[in-house]
Amino acid sequence: MPVYAKAWEGFIKYMEEKTGKKVVFFPVQSNAAEIEAMRSGRLHVAGFNTGSNPIAVNCAGFVPFAIMGNTSGQFGYEMEIIVPADSPIKTPADLKGKKVAFTEPTSNSGYKAPSAILKADFNLEAGRDFTAVFSGKHDNSVIGIANKDYDAATIANEVMFRMFERNVVDRAKIRSIYKSDTFPTTGYGYVYNLDPALVEKIKQAFFTFPWEGSALKVEFKNEDRFIPIDYKKDWSIIRKIDAANGVKYTCK
């Protein structure tokens, strides 16, 4: 997103040094716009959110190879369902008849995972049991809950925690009523048809970038490196969630 331009500034310059190419930060307004940019040849290296990875792989030729991690090699985040702190809602079962904010249809934690979980574990479906609205992004959903615009919202907790740390919203105004198992976070990679020699330089930029003292380290406090990922293994749970939601990777 545009808000992260400064955080990535040092990395962009480092990639220029490693690849010998001019590198430009390319902000997009939605997951769909990012997928289309890569599919049409206007985007060559990218970070796709959790839910978009399978679609980007199948429809845009995205090849994910890295993810943010730390010394222990751990990475990931949880989907949480949040409500205003003083809300009477205690569990997801209480969402019947309420207005629930999702982010956008391609988001894992913002739509696909909570839809599958609410249906499988609580027998709740959008339209039938509660009113679903789309906020556009996780930041909007978190702010919406703090301002009591929605009864509940489904979000990626890593985004919410960074908002707390930047004092964008008051932690005391929000309460969580559900937390999922851990999901992989943003997958970083390249478009399939780049020159193999260039691909190796791109990978080198990710895996040798000096985090200490960087703007990335300031923004992403719990991570200190990029670590390798295996799309087939690490995104298997996401593909299962897609299957449960009837998502098909057909490209139009």
Side-chain angles (χ1 to χ4, degrees), residues 69-169:
N70 53 39
T71 51
S72 66
Q74 294 179 342
F75 58 85
Y77 70 97
E78 293 78 38
M79 180 279 292
E80 294 198 38
I81 301 177
I82 57 174
V83 299
D86 59 357
S87 169
I89 297 172
K90 303 299 181 185
T91 74
D94 298 330
L95 295 177
K96 196 162 187 176
K98 305 298 184 182
K99 180 165 74 170
V100 181
F102 297 100
T103 57
E104 54 183 335
T106 58
S107 173
N108 177 62
S109 55
Y111 181 68
K112 294 192 287 189
S115 294
I117 290 168
L118 287 173
K119 182 178 180 179
D121 296 348
F122 301 96
N123 193 30
L124 294 173
E125 292 187 47
R128 186 190 72 185
D129 301 301
F130 60 86
T131 301
V133 296
F134 289 94
S135 70
K137 56 184 180 179
H138 295 277
D139 307 57
N140 293 346
S141 290
V142 174
I143 292 171
I145 289 298
N147 293 335
K148 300 184 179 181
D149 296 329
Y150 317 118
D151 295 313
T154 67
I155 51 90
N157 60 8
E158 63 172 357
V159 177
M160 180 174 68
F161 296 152
R162 288 201 298 272
M163 294 176 74
F164 290 159
E165 291 167 0
R166 296 199 305 266
N167 295 315
V168 176
V169 293

Side-chain angles (χ1 to χ4, degrees), residues 7-8 16 27 45 67 74 84-86 88 94 128 130 134 173 180 187 194 203 222-223 226 232 242 247:
W8 285 93
E16 285 187 331
V45 180
I67 201 166
Q74 294 179 342
D86 59 357
D94 298 330
R128 186 190 72 185
F130 60 86
F134 289 94
K173 292 184 175 181
S180 73
L194 292 186
K203 288 182 176 180
N222 296 322
E223 287 77 35
F226 289 100
K232 183 177 180 180
D242 280 349
V247 175

Side-chain angles (χ1 to χ4, degrees), residues 2 52 68 78 82 92 94 127 141 158 193 197 208 210 236 245 252:
S52 292
M68 287 185 183
E78 293 78 38
I82 57 174
D94 298 330
S141 290
E158 63 172 357
N193 56 359
T208 65
S236 62
N245 284 323
K252 298 178 180 179

Side-chain angles (χ1 to χ4, degrees), residues 29-93:
Q29 299 303 318
S30 70
N31 300 329
E34 187 176 15
I35 292 170
E36 176 57 26
M38 181 166 280
R39 191 197 65 78
S40 63
R42 293 179 290 118
L43 180 63
H44 310 98
V45 180
F48 281 96
N49 76 348
T50 305
S52 292
N53 260 258
I55 302 171
V57 166
N58 286 279
C59 298
F62 179 54
V63 184
F65 68 86
I67 201 166
M68 287 185 183
N70 53 39
T71 51
S72 66
Q74 294 179 342
F75 58 85
Y77 70 97
E78 293 78 38
M79 180 279 292
E80 294 198 38
I81 301 177
I82 57 174
V83 299
D86 59 357
S87 169
I89 297 172
K90 303 299 181 185
T91 74

Side-chain angles (χ1 to χ4, degrees), residues 183-231:
F183 297 120
T185 184
T186 300
Y188 297 92
Y190 55 91
V191 69
Y192 77 99
N193 56 359
L194 292 186
D195 185 295
L198 178 57
V199 166
E200 288 308 308
K201 292 177 181 178
I202 291 169
K203 288 182 176 180
Q204 184 184 33
F206 274 87
F207 295 135
T208 65
F209 176 71
W211 277 72
E212 198 59 41
S214 70
L216 274 185
K217 181 59 179 172
V218 172
E219 180 66 34
F220 300 95
K221 293 179 174 58
N222 296 322
E223 287 77 35
D224 60 12
R225 66 194 62 199
F226 289 100
I227 59 178
I229 53 171
D230 181 326
Y231 168 76

